[in-house]
Amino acid sequence: MSNGSKGNATVIISGHPPDAAGALDAYDALPWFDGAMKDDGSMSAAALPAWTKAPVSYHPAIQAGRLRDEGEIARGGMGSIRQLYDLDLRRRVALKVIDAELGADPEMVQRFVDEARVTGALDHPNIVPVHDLAAEGASHASYTMKLVDGRTLTELIAMQQSQRDLERILQCMASVCDALAFAHSRGVVHRDLKPDNIMVGDFGQVYLMDWGCARIIGERTLVDGVAEAEGTVLGTVRYMPPEQARGEVSRTDARSDIFAVGAILYKALTGQAPYMGPMEAALAAAERAEFKPPDESNGVAVKPPPMLSEIVKKAMAREPADRYQSAAELAEALRAFLRGGNWFPLHTFPAGTMIVREGDRADAAYILTAGSCEVRKRDPADPKRSIPLRTLQAGEVFGETAIFADAPRSASVVALEDVKAVVVDRASLEQLVASTYLGRFVKALADRFLEVETKAQQQGLDRSGRIR
């Protein structure tokens, strides 16, 4: 954790090494992204070279012989994480030890102790359990907690290669929202959400870590430290909501964490955090919530599904009142997206575009999300002339019947204005039919519709304007 200045405000940037003011490095190119960006402040000993030489304060149980130190395994914003073996219970645990330099600052020691107490008080399946706390004198503090075998979300984001990988990340983020909903109900706001602070176990466990920047709203009986003064900027700039970046401590609440969850999702979709570049520029952008929407980001090999982009944009709204109002609401939005399977691309068709042509083989169905289209059918008496049948508006669907029936298009659809439509390809619809009971119902309805339409055409009664 490093300190700086921002006008008259105090800036405490979690996990930001003193020499990381320039542009950030890139991971190797990935199939999912053209390149994923590393965040400063990752739990890497190499990122904090000055700390690796600092002496370690040991937990009393190590000196007593009950715990055996097996070495450092990671570094966080306030110190190191070591692996211990409990000789009595015959299990491994993790030990977090405050950095020696920070241990010389009573305020930092108190923040470290408060972190242990806050984490220990939040008894939730997605918050790592704390076993005990040892705070000896003014400079030595450490606590033991469950050892999580797995990866950080930073690693999972960088390893993405398919839709399934992104689905796993979304499931993890829904679990993080569950943890936040519980913490918020207890008056605790995390304020330092980022991929490095989320651990994913080898068997699907998800843990929200590092509560050292937590804000307690209401009674502060859980902690002894003094609340930050207005103007204090605390957390990780790359994922901050604007009110937190401006140091508006009293306005930083549960919805601030919701913004940060959206920022993590942003990175999962685009390969980089919302605010990149030098730290001062990133902080200035965070104050204004100035970032490119995820579906307009450059360097993304797979464009984000439109409905998922909408979830991210709502979570990251500039004004807290425009965001999801609870972590539980955001969790449900993510799970509804996963249940619905809304992964299909969103296309824009300029006015005058013939989206579907009568007589062509069907390769996709369409869901209008904006604009209007006209359904047209060739005049049997004059093939050069088209007869308008009906107008399609946002929310309507067309083109699916020809796929289910494996029949040519029965009419054309032309964009009357610039149109946006979700495009569902033939393979996806056929998979729906093959793999779900709902798909079979839809197929049966399509077959019956075609049977009725064929009879109507034979009798010269086709006026429905329905498009295959």
Side-chain angles (χ1 to χ4, degrees):
M1 182 174 292
S2 63
N3 299 310
S5 63
K6 173 181 170 292
N8 296 322
T10 301
V11 181
I12 307 175
I13 301 171
S14 171
H16 171 54
D19 58 348
L24 305 179
D25 297 326
Y27 285 113
D28 294 334
L30 302 166
W32 189 259
F33 305 117
D34 285 349
M37 303 300 291
K38 268 196 287 192
D39 299 323
D40 47 6
S42 61
M43 292 181 68
S44 165
L48 301 168
W51 289 10
T52 59
K53 300 175 184 178
V56 176
S57 300
Y58 288 100
H59 191 281
I62 297 175
Q63 298 174 351
R66 183 172 66 84
L67 299 178
R68 183 175 66 218
D69 184 7
E70 296 185 338
E72 182 178 297
I73 57 175
R75 281 196 166 263
M78 296 189 71
S80 66
I81 310 294
R82 306 184 71 84
Q83 179 174 292
L84 308 179
Y85 183 74
D86 188 321
L87 296 170
D88 288 347
L89 293 177
R90 300 181 184 180
R91 66 175 183 181
R92 284 178 171 80
V93 298
L95 174 73
K96 186 166 185 177
V97 183
I98 193 169
D99 173 67
E101 293 181 19
L102 295 182
D105 183 343
E107 181 182 345
M108 290 295 103
V109 174
Q110 186 60 62
R111 184 178 294 280
F112 183 90
V113 171
D114 286 347
E115 174 187 0
R117 288 173 175 158
V118 168
T119 310
L122 296 176
D123 184 11
H124 187 273
N126 299 119
I127 298 174
V128 66
V130 170
H131 300 322
D132 64 11
L133 168 66
E136 297 183 353
S139 60
H140 297 159
S142 62
Y143 62 89
T144 58
M145 57 187 170
K146 177 183 174 67
L147 178 66
V148 181
D149 291 323
R151 302 177 184 273
T152 65
L153 196 70
T154 299
E155 295 173 273
L156 294 184
I157 289 173
M159 291 166 59
Q160 286 184 91
Q161 296 187 43
S162 67
Q163 176 181 310
R164 181 169 296 181
D165 294 331
L166 180 55
E167 285 178 344
R168 182 186 182 193
I169 289 169
L170 297 179
Q171 290 164 351
C172 291
M173 292 310 298
S175 296
V176 168
C177 287
D178 292 339
L180 289 172
F182 178 79
H184 296 162
S185 74
R186 300 298 191 270
V188 179
V189 181
H190 191 283
R191 288 197 300 184
D192 194 21
L193 291 163
K194 56 186 175 182
D196 275 345
N197 285 347
I198 298 167
M199 290 292 299
V200 181
D202 294 336
F203 297 96
Q205 316 96 304
V206 178
Y207 295 104
L208 179 53
M209 316 283 286
D210 287 348
W211 294 78
C213 294
R215 178 183 179 223
I216 309 301
I217 298 176
E219 293 295 325
R220 294 180 58 85
T221 56
L222 186 61
V223 296
D224 295 330
V226 178
E228 300 86 17
E230 287 293 317
T232 302
V233 180
L234 184 146
T236 301
V237 171
R238 304 299 186 199
Y239 301 90
M240 272 188 188
E243 64 273 14
Q244 191 173 338
R246 293 192 295 261
E248 297 170 351
V249 176
S250 61
R251 293 189 66 218
T252 302
D253 58 20
R255 296 168 299 180
S256 304
D257 280 349
I258 288 168
F259 183 101
V261 170
I264 294 171
L265 292 169
Y266 184 102
K267 174 155 186 178
L269 295 180
T270 68
Q272 62 183 29
Y275 314 118
M276 301 302 294
M279 187 58 63
E280 285 189 11
L283 183 57
E287 291 173 356
R288 302 186 298 270
E290 189 175 273
F291 56 89
K292 186 176 289 187
D295 48 2
E296 297 177 15
S297 180
N298 298 323
V300 182
V302 181
K303 287 295 182 184
M307 292 188 68
L308 186 54
S309 291
E310 291 303 314
I311 290 174
V312 173
K313 285 187 276 190
K314 181 174 180 179
M316 296 181 69
R318 181 180 287 105
E319 294 299 324
D322 296 331
R323 301 170 197 161
Y324 294 98
Q325 295 301 290
S326 71
E329 185 184 359
L330 176 52
E332 177 53 32
L334 291 173
R335 290 183 171 120
F337 173 82
L338 289 167
R339 287 195 302 270
N342 300 300
W343 296 94
F344 307 113
L346 182 68
H347 286 248
T348 299
F349 300 95
T353 302
M354 185 172 290
I355 303 172
V356 165
R357 186 184 300 274
E358 184 178 354
D360 284 356
R361 182 178 184 272
D363 58 0
Y366 303 83
I367 306 169
L368 283 179
T369 63
S372 60
C373 298
E374 185 174 78
V375 179
R376 301 173 183 174
K377 193 170 181 64
R378 283 194 294 267
D379 185 347
D382 183 3
K384 294 182 180 180
R385 178 174 174 268
S386 294
I387 303 172
L389 298 179
R390 59 177 294 210
T391 300
L392 301 173
Q393 303 291 348
E396 295 193 78
V397 177
F398 63 92
E400 79 291 348
T401 309
I403 294 177
F404 287 130
D406 198 18
R409 300 291 192 191
S410 63
S412 300
V413 177
V414 179
L416 295 177
E417 55 190 318
D418 289 350
V419 161
K420 290 185 178 181
V422 174
V423 180
V424 185
D425 60 54
R426 171 185 282 270
S428 297
L429 282 174
E430 289 177 343
Q431 184 179 14
L432 174 69
V433 171
S435 62
T436 69
Y437 289 121
L438 178 60
R440 293 174 191 174
F441 278 119
V442 174
K443 174 69 164 61
L445 289 171
D447 289 341
R448 289 173 188 172
F449 167 77
L450 281 172
E451 182 180 348
V452 171
E453 183 188 47
T454 301
K455 290 180 179 179
Q457 288 176 341
Q458 291 171 349
Q459 298 171 12
L461 299 175
D462 182 22
R463 295 289 186 272
S464 69
R466 182 65 179 168
I467 306 307
R468 294 199 295 266

